[in-house]
């Protein structure tokens, strides 16, 4: 069995990992939100006064830890779509994958925030347990995903004018 995830909250001694993908993360807020009108960088005290929308794995039950501002107001959700919806509704701010909100940023409905000490990249890994035998299909998938992650990104064809 394979998992594609961050390694947050996973005991490294119990799993094997392979780098899979680096996902750009953008701290964002709805364009009319008071935080959107402030000059960057935003001080932590100001950010703590506004709810941070945080993604948490409901199965793990542990505290979230990636880009969570300690001591601030916080709402937790269990999926990226709900997080985006709450941020778009002006209910708070939070980090989202750039590809999820690229159209919102381009349209001006969301604004990127400059948040000190905010991790702008989330590393994803292919993960499998060390204490189990892996079948033929899982092993082939493990190898294929590892090979795909280490291959150079395909070049885009040049546009003809």
């Amino acid at each position: 069995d394979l998992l594609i995830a961050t390694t947050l909250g996973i005991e490294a001694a119990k799993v094997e990992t392979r780098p899979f993908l680096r996902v750009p993360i953008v701290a964002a807020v709805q364009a009319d939100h008071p935080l959107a009108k402030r000059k960057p960088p935003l001080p932590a005290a100001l950010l703590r006064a506004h709810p941070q929308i945080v993604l948490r794995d409901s199965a793990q039950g542990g505290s979230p830890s990636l880009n969570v501002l300690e001591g601030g107001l916080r709402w937790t959700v269990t999926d990226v779509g709900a997080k985006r919806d709450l941020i778009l509704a002006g209910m708070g701010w939070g980090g989202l994958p750039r590809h999820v909100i690229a159209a919102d940023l381009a349209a001006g409905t969301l604004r990127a925030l400059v948040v000190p000490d905010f991790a702008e990249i989330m590393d994803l890994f292919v993960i499998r347990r060390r204490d189990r035998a892996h079948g033929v299909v899982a092993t082939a998938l493990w190898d294929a995903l590892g090979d795909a992650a280490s291959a150079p990104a395909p070049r885009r064809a040049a546009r003809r004018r």
Side-chain angles (χ1 to χ4, degrees), residues 144-158:
L145 291 172
D147 292 344
S150 61
R155 291 183 144 197
R156 293 186 179 182

Side-chain angles (χ1 to χ4, degrees), residues 25-156:
I25 302 296
V26 177
V29 69
Q30 198 265 352
D32 292 330
H33 191 281
L35 290 175
K37 298 172 183 356
R38 298 294 300 256
K39 284 189 169 191
L42 300 176
L46 176 62
L47 291 165
R48 284 187 186 98
H50 297 274
Q52 182 180 11
I53 313 301
V54 177
L55 187 63
R56 187 178 83 175
D57 181 355
S58 62
Q60 295 296 324
S63 298
S65 57
L66 180 66
N67 288 330
V68 175
L69 186 64
E70 292 302 322
L73 298 173
R74 183 182 311 162
W75 288 6
T76 58
V77 295
T78 57
D79 68 84
V80 172
K83 182 174 182 173
R84 179 182 165 270
D85 291 345
L86 287 174
I87 293 171
L88 277 169
M91 306 293 281
W93 66 278
L96 286 164
R98 180 173 293 282
H99 70 274
V100 171
I101 60 169
D104 301 313
L105 291 168
T109 54
L110 287 182
R111 295 250 173 91
L113 299 174
V114 176
V115 177
D117 301 321
F118 192 87
E120 296 177 347
I121 297 290
M122 178 176 59
D123 291 313
L124 296 179
F125 297 86
V126 182
I127 303 169
R128 69 179 179 184
R129 292 176 57 155
R130 292 182 189 274
D131 64 347
R132 292 195 177 154
H134 305 286
V136 174
V137 173
T139 300
L141 187 55
W142 171 263
D143 291 340
L145 291 172
D147 292 344
S150 61
R155 291 183 144 197
R156 293 186 179 182

